[in-house]
Amino acid sequence: MERMICLAIGYVFGLFQTAYIYGRFHGIDIRQHGSGNAGTTNTLRILGKKAGAIVLAGDILKCMLAIGLTRLLYSSSHLEMFRLLSLYAAAGAILGHNFPFYLKFRGGKGIAVTAGLILSFHWMVALVGIILFFSTFFLTHYVSLGSLLVYGGFLIQLIIMGQWGMFHMSQVYLNEMYIVAFLMTAMAYYKHRENIKRLIKGTERKTYLSKKSEGEGWESI
């Protein structure tokens, strides 16, 4: 029952579609522009840095709030499994973000929401995630590649830290946590399937902080 409640809590928070709402305030449906994705990267490409920063902060915050509420409800009564329940809340937030019922289940890809999970889960997970994303981004300028590597790294790190006993959980709960994290990772890779195809072909769109390389014009992040 606790798992379903945490999923529901997360889904409700995830329904706050920051990109869509911000776009509507500025007279557009962000899903009808650019990549068609209601997320941070498409927002900053279409509406600029300020819009991208606001959407990024909003998507991160809604996951952190869902996790915070879950911990407030269960950290005392379910001490051993509160990280597992936090993961369920994050999964719910990502589902709400990716598949909002009131937008005909057309949302984002959940990466910024996942950043809220990574920042909330454990300081070591957050540190590795930040280093992995920004090192990949500044070397390749592919937001999608950095995002996918962070997801894969999160799953691997979760298993390693869990098996080292850093979460102080029984193996049963750890195994369940690994399964949930694997399903979340699989969904992220599925949502990025077109990005993966373009990365393989070398046609994925790059994002730069200032001026793009010669012949590619301008783009902001």
Side-chain angles (χ1 to χ4, degrees):
M1 178 61 72
E2 295 85 1
R3 295 165 176 79
M4 296 304 298
I5 292 174
C6 292
L7 269 174
I9 289 172
Y11 188 82
V12 170
F13 276 96
L15 290 176
F16 187 85
Q17 288 291 316
T18 318
Y20 176 79
I21 294 170
Y22 188 93
R24 280 304 190 188
F25 271 113
H26 289 78
I28 69 168
D29 182 345
I30 195 67
R31 301 172 303 162
Q32 304 301 323
H33 298 269
S35 67
N37 182 56
T40 299
T41 303
N42 196 38
T43 301
L44 64 87
R45 284 172 175 167
I46 301 303
L47 296 174
K49 294 180 181 180
K50 178 182 177 182
I54 291 172
V55 170
L56 175 64
D59 287 346
I60 289 174
L61 183 61
K62 66 188 181 186
C63 186
M64 295 181 76
L65 289 173
I67 291 173
L69 180 56
T70 296
R71 291 180 175 177
L72 182 65
L73 292 174
Y74 293 111
S75 60
S76 297
S77 58
H78 296 72
L79 183 60
E80 186 184 4
M81 61 183 301
F82 85 92
R83 290 192 188 278
L84 173 61
L85 295 177
S86 297
L87 197 62
Y88 273 104
I94 293 167
L95 288 171
H97 176 82
N98 291 357
F99 308 105
F101 73 89
Y102 66 96
L103 295 179
K104 298 181 180 179
F105 302 99
R106 286 185 58 207
K109 295 181 179 179
I111 297 301
V113 186
T114 303
L117 163 64
I118 291 174
L119 292 173
S120 302
F121 199 82
H122 191 282
W123 70 267
M124 192 177 296
V125 171
L127 179 62
V128 172
I130 291 170
I131 293 173
L132 187 57
F133 176 81
F134 283 104
S135 60
T136 302
F137 172 74
F138 284 117
L139 284 172
T140 69
H141 298 285
Y142 290 129
V143 173
S144 56
L145 180 60
S147 302
L148 292 169
L149 289 177
V150 168
Y151 241 116
F154 173 68
L155 176 60
I156 293 170
Q157 193 177 4
L158 199 69
I159 295 172
I160 292 174
M161 293 174 68
Q163 293 308 118
W164 280 354
M166 296 180 67
F167 299 139
H168 308 290
M169 297 167 62
S170 68
Q171 192 62 48
V172 173
Y173 290 147
L174 284 172
N175 291 340
E176 184 179 353
M177 188 166 67
Y178 303 155
I179 292 170
V180 174
F182 172 79
L183 293 174
M184 292 168 65
T185 303
M187 182 173 65
Y189 275 68
Y190 175 77
K191 293 286 287 184
H192 283 79
R193 60 194 183 279
E194 296 302 324
N195 301 85
I196 294 171
K197 291 178 184 178
R198 290 193 294 269
L199 284 168
I200 293 173
K201 293 178 181 179
T203 58
E204 176 70 333
R205 187 176 182 180
K206 292 186 176 183
T207 302
Y208 289 80
L209 291 175
S210 54
K211 189 175 181 180
K212 298 178 70 177
S213 58
E214 185 177 353
E216 290 188 312
W218 289 80
E219 184 176 315
S220 61
I221 182 170

